Structures are given as structure tokens and as C-alpha cells.
């Protein structure tokens, strides 16, 4: 039991298939109701795909576990209907500080410019996130969420997957067209299918102590190398909600995990850090090791792996749940198009292409962070300390400090789904094909709104103009004719001045922030994917080019008619 949180008990219900003796047939089954499995189910439900969601437990995760949710993950959670709850309950922050011994040597700001809807990070104990997502899933008619339903076998065929599911009332059979495995780092499904992960296990141990205390520490990330209260090791401090603070102490590989978790050993470490006068209570304690590894491919026939089931990283940088939510975001729209027959199954190969690239980027950054934080030789420790000594006064030293490069969305610039910029058209800025979209404040009629709240979950064409009311009839007709082989493309006009554009939705960009972030001139067009990544862009609207880009983004270029 925790002092600040009461765990919910989700109700088990006898599956009707047990009493009826029949087989349950569903388009998609998701196994694992953690943040990533819940995200996958919510994503598909929004797109009209019924989902069976199974979990062998009946509550949320034990202990705070995941803590930091990055701006991109918050924007995805907004589309799932829980982003507001997470931000309202959590602790928002943008600034991180790094200390060497007793001196601050480096700090950063995750969102250095104004006018973004969501902060760089929100700290919130994972059990809250899961509770909000589970409540959302339970309220939606398209998700059949079953607790205490354990998958005990899985068999894959050419046209689907067959699962045996064990409950306290007996075993029943599920036949699904597709299976999404979100069952965690140890993934029983991965083992049942004889698949494996490859990578590196790090020979170090860290103590997590969640501490309840009243403290006026700012909402920032603080990281210490070789502090006087924990010499020779590193310490990380995060503020969470409910007056809970997460403290990570590096212990070294030789530490005994069971001994280190005992309160009589944890409390002296915390007192050395906070001082004897600071009152606190232990909320939760754990010792962990970590690994950086991934599967060779994330799509295996009719089985698709997401989150920790597909890839694992060290906790430095908050790349676990954040990356997993981006997996679900990348997969959902592709699977929907395949299920509906609007795209060929090979579109799912791009799920592995894009998210394996993102996983490799996370693994590289996570490994580099770990090597810097936990040097394994005298030479590497000497180099690390020299860098920290230089960082306070020298920019090149600060660039080398690595206390965990924090989670950022992957720029999928080499994706086969992108339509490259035309050589004759030049753009500046970061919104190139493959980029995750930047947000911007806009106005819709008389009210304020955000760009990312108006896009996503479908293909859209963003058309920039100075004056929506002055758009000629041929342009309006072209904007209404962008759909490609049954895949709808919804137009959205962004105008410097208010006005209407026939039947096309218009957002006002009177301050020019959206135009600046997208390097947009009048007539500029952006094709947006359902997961809010840029698919293509042009300086002028050409219907044939937009349709060709949609075909490329859905692997329909060479599909037989």
C-alpha cells in the first residue's frame, strides 16, 4: 500500500465464451493493459476498429515506475482523450540542471520558445496514467477490456492468430485477424512465438526511492555527478505529484538488491542528501538494473510488437513509455488502412522501418548516457570528470555532458513513406518530410485553439494563405478533390486574416506563428499523416502531386487496381 495512492481493483467478469462454449472472433486483440497497450487500443478505437484488450492483472502498475512524459507523448495522449487529465494532475517542467560535486555546471530548457500548448515534460506516477487510460478505454464502446484474462498459448496462421485465454472460470479461444503484443519487457507472447531480442545488459544497479515530503524545490530535473552526499556515484531528483519526490541513487554492480531496499539502509542515504532536519516518509523503494536491446523486426506476420515488448532502454532520458506511445501512434493508422482494405499489408513493414529507426536512436542515446553516467574504467571516469569540470565555463564542455538525453520524437526523414522536397522548391526550418509536427496557437472563429488539436487521425492537407476569403474557386475546388483511391484527405486552410473559404475549415494565424514554424508562404501546402508527421510539402497546390504523395505514404503506388 502507498501512502498517497489507493490502487483500484478492476472487476473481473466471466467471459461469455466460457458459458456459451464458442470462439470469440475479433479484428484486433491487444495483450497488455499498460500505457502502450491501452494507447494502441485507444488509437484503433478512435478509427472505428473494435479491439479486445486482455490483461492478466486487475490493477495498475505497482510503484511509480515511469515518471516523465514528454511533450510529444502528451500530444498523443491529447488525441486519446487523457492528455488534459495527465497535465492537470502532473508536475510540468522544462528546465533541467546538472551538478558536479557541489557546483551547477549545466542546465537546459526543453521548450526554449513560447507558444506551445504542452510543456517539455510532465512528471506523474505511472499508476495515475494507467488509471486515466483504463477509465477512458472502459468508457468506449469499441474496446472490450478484460481483466484477469491470461493468454497461455498463441498460434499464428496466414490469415490470423489463435489465442487460448485462461480465466478463473476456465479457458476460452480467441481468433483475431491481428495481434498487438504490448506485454512488456519479458513478453510471454514473444517467448511463445520463439522470438528474441538482442542488445546489452548494463552491469550496474540503481536504487529508486519515492519519498513523501514537503519541500519547496522547483519543478525541475536535478542530476548530480559525484555529490558529497553520495561520493563517487550519481543521483537524480524528480518532483512528482502528491508531494512525492523520486530519487535515484547509483549503487554499483556489487550492491545487494535485497539489502539496499531495506529502510534501515535507504533512510541514511536520503538523510545524507536532504539533511537530518528534513521530514520525509518512504513511499516506494526498488532496485533495478537495465538493458538496451530490441527485436530485429517489430512486425511478424499477423503479430505486431510495441513498447517494451519490442525494445528496452535504460531509464535515463525517459525513453521507455514515451517511445512506446509513439509506437502505438505509428502503428494504429497503418493497421486501420490494412484492415479496411485501403492499403496493402506491406504498409506494416514501414512500422518496423520507422519505429526500429526510432528505437536505434533511443538505444544509441541511452547507451551513451549510461556510459557517461557509469564509466567502466579509470580512463573513462577521468574523461567524464574533466568534461564536467569544463562545462561550467566552456560551451564545448557543456555539449559533451550527458546525464540522459531526454526523450524527443523521432524525425523520420529517411522513411520510404515520405515524398521528398522538389529540387526547385526551398524550405527552411525543421518541418521537413518525416518530421513530427510543431504546434502553434491559432484562432477558430472567435476562440483560441491549437494546431495539433485540429489535425491527426486522418490524412490532412494544410494550405496557407494570406486571405482565406479571397481564395479563387479553382483553388477551393482543388482542395475538395484531394482524396486518393478511397483514402480521404481533409483540407484545412491556415489564413493570416479571418474569413471563410467555402466549405473548407479555416484557422486564423494572425500572429504568423504557424506560418513561421512551417516556413509557409501564401500557397504553401503540407500533407499531414494521421500520426501528425509531415508526409510531403510544396510551394503550390497540385492535386496530382498530393494524390501521388498519399499513395506513397500508404504503399499504394504500385497496387493493382
Amino acid at each position: 500500500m502507498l501512502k498517497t495512492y489507493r490502487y483500484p481493483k478492476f472487476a473481473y467478469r466471466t467471459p461469455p465464451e466460457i458459458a456459451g462454449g464458442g470462439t470469440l472472433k475479433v479484428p484486433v486483440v491487444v495483450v497488455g493493459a499498460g500505457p502502450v497497450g491501452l494507447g494502441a487500443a485507444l488509437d484503433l478505437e478512435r478509427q472505428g476498429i473494435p479491439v479486445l484488450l486482455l490483461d492478466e492483472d486487475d490493477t495498475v502498475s505497482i510503484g511509480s515506475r515511469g515518471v516523465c512524459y514528454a511533450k510529444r507523448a502528451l500530444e498523443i495522449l491529447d488525441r486519446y482523450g487523457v492528455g488534459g487529465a495527465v497535465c492537470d494532475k502532473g508536475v510540468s517542467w522544462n528546465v533541467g540542471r546538472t551538478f558536479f560535486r557541489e557546483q551547477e555546471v549545466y542546465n537546459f530548457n526543453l521548450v526554449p520558445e513560447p507558444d506551445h500548448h504542452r510543456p517539455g515534460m510532465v512528471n506523474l506516477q505511472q499508476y495515475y496514467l494507467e488509471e486515466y487510460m483504463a477509465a477512458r478505454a472502459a468508457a468506449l464502446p469499441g474496446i472490450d477490456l478484460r481483466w484477469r484474462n491470461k493468454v497461455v498459448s498463441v498460434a499464428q496462421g496466414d490469415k490470423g492468430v489463435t489465442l487460448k485465454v485462461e480465466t478463473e472460470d476456465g479457458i476460452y479461444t480467441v481468433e483475431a485477424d491481428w495481434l498487438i503484443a504490448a506485454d512488456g519487457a519479458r513478453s510471454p507472447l514473444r517467448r511463445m512465438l520463439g522470438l528474441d531480442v538482442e542488445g546489452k545488459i548494463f552491469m550496474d544497479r540503481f536504487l529508486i526511492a519515492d519519498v513523501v515530503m514537503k519541500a519547496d524545490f522547483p519543478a525541475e530535473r536535478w542530476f548530480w555527478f559525484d555529490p558529497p552526499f553520495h561520493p563517487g556515484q550519481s543521483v537524480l531528483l524528480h518532483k512528482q505529484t502528491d508531494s512525492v519526490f523520486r530519487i535515484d541513487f547509483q549503487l554499483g554492480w556489487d550492491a545487494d538488491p535485497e539489502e539496499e531496499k531495506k529502510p534501515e539502509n535507504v533512510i541514511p542515504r536520503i538523510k545524507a542528501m536532504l539533511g537530518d532536519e528534513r521530514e520525509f516518509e518512504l513511499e516506494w523503494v526498488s532496485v533495478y538494473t537495465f538493458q538496451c536491446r530490441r527485436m530485429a523486426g517489430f512486425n511478424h506476420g499477423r503479430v505486431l510488437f510495441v513498447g517494451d515488448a519490442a525494445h528496452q532502454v535504460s531509464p535515463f532520458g525517459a525513453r521507455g513509455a514515451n517511445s512506446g506511445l509513439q509506437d502505438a501512434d505509428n502503428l494504429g493508422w497503418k493497421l486501420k488502412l490494412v484492415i479496411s482494405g485501403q492499403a496493402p499489408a506491406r504498409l506494416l513493414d514501414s512500422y518496423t522501418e520507422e519505429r526500429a529507426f526510432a528505437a536505434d536512436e533511443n538505444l544509441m542515446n541511452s547507451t551513451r548516457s549510461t556510459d557517461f553516467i557509469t564509466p567502466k574504467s579509470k580512463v573513462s571516469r577521468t574523461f567524464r570528470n574533466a568534461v564536467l569540470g569544463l562545462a561550467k565555463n566552456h560551451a564545448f564542455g557543456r555539449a559533451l555532458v550527458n546525464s540522459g538525453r531526454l526523450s524527443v520524437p523521432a524525425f523520420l526523414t529517411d522513411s520510404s513513406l515520405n515524398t521528398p522536397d522538389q529540387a526547385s522548391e526551398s524550405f527552411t526550418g525543421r518541418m521537413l518530410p518525416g518530421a513530427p509536427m510543431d504546434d502553434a496557437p491559432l484562432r477558430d472563429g472567435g476562440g483560441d485553439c491549437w494546431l495539433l488539436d485540429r489535425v491527426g487521425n486522418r490524412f490532412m492537407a494544410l494550405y496557407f494563405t494570406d486571405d482565406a476569403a479571397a481564395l479563387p474557386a479553382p483553388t477551393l475546388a482543388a482542395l475538395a478533390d484531394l482524396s486518393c483511391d478511397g483514402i480521404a484527405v481533409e483540407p484545412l486552410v491556415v489564413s493570416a486574416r479571418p474569413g471563410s473559404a467555402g466549405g473548407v475549415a479555416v484557422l486564423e494565424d494572425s500572429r504568423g506563428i504557424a506560418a513561421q514554424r512551417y516556413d509557409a508562404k501564401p500557397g504553401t501546402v503540407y500533407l499531414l499523416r494521421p500520426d501528425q508527421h509531415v508526409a510531403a510539402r510544396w510551394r503550390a497546390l497540385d492535386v496530382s502531386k498530393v494524390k501521388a504523395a498519399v499513395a506513397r505514404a500508404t504503399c499504394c503506388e504500385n497496387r493493382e487496381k
Side-chain angles (χ1 to χ4, degrees), residues 205 251-258 260 269 287:
R205 300 188 196 279
L251 299 176
W253 183 246
D254 295 332
D256 183 326
E258 295 308 312
E260 293 293 346
R269 293 190 187 280
V287 173

Side-chain angles (χ1 to χ4, degrees), residues 6 13-14 48 118 120 128 130 195 197 206 217 220 244 277 314 323 327 329 382 392 402 405 449 494:
R6 178 171 293 180
R13 296 178 177 85
T14 302
R118 294 307 184 194
Y128 278 116
E130 291 184 18
L195 301 170
V197 290
F206 283 77
F217 302 147
E220 299 176 347
V244 176
E277 69 282 0
S314 74
S323 179
D327 289 347
D329 190 41
T382 299
K392 183 175 182 181
N402 194 336
R405 302 284 193 234
C449 65
V494 177

Side-chain angles (χ1 to χ4, degrees), residues 94-108:
N94 290 319
V95 175
R97 301 187 187 277
T98 299
F99 303 86
F100 181 39
R101 298 179 180 137
E102 297 179 289
Q103 287 194 325
E104 180 179 337
V105 296
Y106 175 69
N107 63 70
F108 59 82

Side-chain angles (χ1 to χ4, degrees), residues 355-435:
R355 294 310 300 164
F357 165 79
D360 286 342
E361 191 172 69
N362 283 328
L363 289 168
M364 177 189 69
N365 282 294
S366 186
T367 300
R368 287 177 177 175
S369 297
T370 303
D371 288 342
F372 192 86
I373 292 166
T374 62
K376 301 303 186 290
S377 69
K378 184 177 180 180
V379 171
S380 58
R381 182 175 293 274
T382 299
F383 170 78
R384 196 275 308 273
N385 289 349
V387 166
L388 291 168
L390 290 166
K392 183 175 182 181
N393 298 314
H394 300 281
F396 77 90
R398 290 191 289 275
L400 296 172
V401 173
N402 194 336
S403 59
R405 302 284 193 234
L406 287 162
S407 176
V408 294
F411 278 65
L412 307 172
T413 52
D414 293 329
S415 170
S416 62
L417 304 188
N418 298 339
T419 295
D421 289 339
Q422 295 181 279
S424 60
E425 297 181 339
S426 62
F427 286 85
T428 61
R430 46 188 253 144
M431 291 296 96
L432 62 168

Side-chain angles (χ1 to χ4, degrees), residues 89-200:
K89 182 66 175 178
V91 175
S92 299
W93 63 277
N94 290 319
V95 175
R97 301 187 187 277
T98 299
F99 303 86
F100 181 39
R101 298 179 180 137
E102 297 179 289
Q103 287 194 325
E104 180 179 337
V105 296
Y106 175 69
N107 63 70
F108 59 82
N109 190 329
L110 293 172
V111 185
E113 61 182 6
D115 296 312
H116 286 268
H117 185 200
R118 294 307 184 194
M121 286 278 179
V122 165
N123 287 354
L124 183 67
Q125 296 91 311
Q126 184 172 318
Y127 41 74
Y128 278 116
L129 173 63
E130 291 184 18
E131 183 180 344
Y132 298 154
M133 296 182 78
R136 177 69 175 156
L140 296 172
I143 298 177
D144 182 358
L145 175 51
R146 300 185 179 187
W147 301 102
R148 299 212 305 270
N149 279 239
K150 181 180 180 179
V151 176
V152 293
S153 75
V154 57
Q156 181 173 192
D158 292 337
K159 295 185 178 180
V161 184
T162 301
L163 301 94
K164 297 292 184 182
V165 184
E166 182 181 71
T167 74
E168 57 198 66
D169 294 313
I171 293 176
Y172 65 100
T173 301
V174 176
E175 292 181 356
D177 297 327
W178 299 91
L179 166 62
I180 297 178
D183 53 341
R186 294 183 177 88
S187 186
L189 289 174
R190 192 178 62 220
R191 186 176 63 252
M192 291 175 197
L193 292 167
L195 301 170
D196 205 356
V197 290
E198 298 178 355
K200 179 180 180 181

